[in-house]
């Protein structure tokens, strides 16, 4: 289980994340919903070791303290981040991008098995293994980014806005794939603007505003909450 407690992130005098606590279990999809600028990306970057955090924060995976580890050590511990914008190597082929994901010691023994899992999850990649990643569509590049993260054999996968800019069809494929990731025993912490689709596949969710958690619950409870419907699902609710 990933456990985050009292996590705060500041940029100068601006507090982007303020005392956030949350958890993600294995075989669970947890979504974080919030407006742009609410602190979602800063939260994920801090958890992934890419952003400094306040010293009194706690981040642990299966009981192992991750706070003082570097980003590559955090991957070795079992936490993989797919950042907004994907961060793939455009000049490299699909195969080379995926192989880079298996650099962690924990992943090397089962590299072939993990590759087969990724290609089963994203059959399009099997057809494009020798294609330069930059020549692919946005949705296909997102598949490469997620596949590369899965090649590190993570226990928990962090995803920052994976559906951003994708077509409705590609979004459907992406969210379907995340359900299969959960079935494989991996926990998913998902930051996503598409609240309707993410709540449809999630087990639980958190609401974040101005860097603070302002609500949480099961995905079903959040879907049925009139305030959530108004703010995130585009549903007009009766005020009377």
């Amino acid at each position: 289980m990933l456990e985050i407690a009292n996590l705060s992130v500041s940029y100068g005098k601006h507090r982007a994340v303020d005392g956030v606590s949350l958890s993600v279990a294995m075989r669970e999809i947890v979504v974080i919903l919030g407006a742009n600028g609410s602190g979602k990306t800063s939260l994920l970057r801090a958890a992934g070791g890419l952003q400094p955090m306040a010293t009194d924060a706690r981040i642990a995976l299966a009981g192992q303290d991750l706070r003082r580890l570097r980003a590559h050590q955090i991957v070795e511990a079992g936490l993989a981040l797919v950042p907004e914008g994907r961060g793939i190597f455009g000049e490299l082929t699909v195969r080379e991008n995926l192989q880079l994901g298996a650099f962690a010691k924990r992943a090397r023994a089962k590299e072939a098995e993990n590759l087969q899992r990724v290609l089963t999850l994203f059959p399009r990649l099997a057809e494009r293994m020798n294609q330069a990643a930059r020549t692919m569509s946005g949705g296909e590049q997102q598949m490469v980014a997620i596949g590369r993260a899965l090649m590190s054999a993570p226990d928990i996968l962090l995803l920052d806005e994976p559906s951003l800019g994708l077509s409705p069809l590609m979004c459907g494929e992406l969210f379907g794939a995340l359900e299969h990731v959960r079935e494989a025993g991996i926990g998913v912490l998902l930051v996503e603007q598409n609240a309707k689709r993410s709540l449809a596949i999630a087990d639980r969710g958190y609401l974040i505003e101005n860097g603070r958690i302002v609500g949480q619950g099961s995905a079903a409870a959040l879907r049925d909450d009139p305030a959530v419907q108004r703010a995130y699902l585009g549903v007009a609710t009766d005020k009377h």
Side-chain angles (χ1 to χ4, degrees):
M1 174 179 285
L2 174 66
E3 298 173 282
I4 297 175
N6 199 33
L7 174 62
S8 296
V9 175
S10 296
Y11 302 95
K13 294 183 179 180
H14 173 63
R15 181 64 64 91
V17 180
D18 191 3
V20 164
S21 297
L22 57 83
S23 64
V24 185
M26 303 284 285
R27 207 180 292 271
E28 180 181 44
I29 297 177
V30 176
V31 62
I32 302 175
L33 301 178
N36 288 334
S38 60
K40 306 185 302 294
T41 291
S42 294
L43 192 163
L44 289 195
R45 285 178 58 83
L50 301 179
Q51 181 66 49
M53 70 192 83
T55 56
D56 57 348
R58 170 177 165 76
I59 300 181
L61 180 58
Q64 180 182 358
D65 188 353
L66 304 184
R67 289 175 301 169
R68 294 177 178 83
L69 300 184
R70 296 182 179 182
H72 71 278
Q73 294 171 318
I74 290 174
V75 173
E76 196 68 66
L79 191 67
L81 168 64
V82 180
E84 183 180 352
R86 304 173 190 121
I88 62 174
F89 296 94
E91 297 303 318
L92 299 183
T93 66
V94 170
R95 184 185 304 278
E96 290 166 337
N97 271 279
L98 295 178
Q99 288 173 335
L100 284 173
F103 76 93
K105 291 180 181 178
R106 64 180 285 128
R108 291 173 192 168
K110 293 188 176 182
E111 180 176 349
E113 180 180 329
N114 290 334
L115 178 60
Q116 187 57 50
R117 176 183 294 175
V118 168
L119 298 182
T120 299
L121 195 63
F122 300 118
R124 293 188 190 202
L125 298 187
E127 303 167 3
R128 293 164 169 77
M129 290 294 278
N130 297 316
Q131 184 174 339
R134 64 175 173 78
T135 66
M136 305 174 74
S137 71
E140 291 165 345
Q141 290 184 23
Q142 189 63 269
M143 292 175 182
V144 174
I146 295 174
R148 185 181 62 186
L150 291 173
M151 288 295 292
S152 71
D155 294 325
I156 302 290
L157 184 65
L158 311 181
L159 295 167
D160 192 0
E161 301 287 6
S163 77
L164 191 65
L166 302 190
S167 68
L169 177 62
M170 194 63 77
C171 281
E173 290 186 28
L174 172 66
F175 286 108
L178 294 183
E179 291 185 280
H180 289 301
V181 169
R182 172 178 55 196
E183 291 167 5
I186 299 170
V188 178
L189 181 59
L190 174 65
V191 162
E192 180 55 59
Q193 287 284 351
N194 193 329
K196 185 174 182 179
R197 280 200 182 264
S198 56
L199 286 174
I201 66 167
D203 299 287
R204 295 187 296 115
Y206 294 87
L207 309 179
I208 187 170
E209 291 182 9
N210 299 317
R212 296 187 175 208
I213 299 295
V214 296
Q216 60 180 292
S218 69
L222 292 175
R223 285 197 304 268
D224 293 338
D225 186 322
V228 173
Q229 292 175 351
R230 287 194 301 271
Y232 302 107
L233 301 179
V235 177
T237 54
D238 190 350
K239 296 181 181 179
H240 300 289

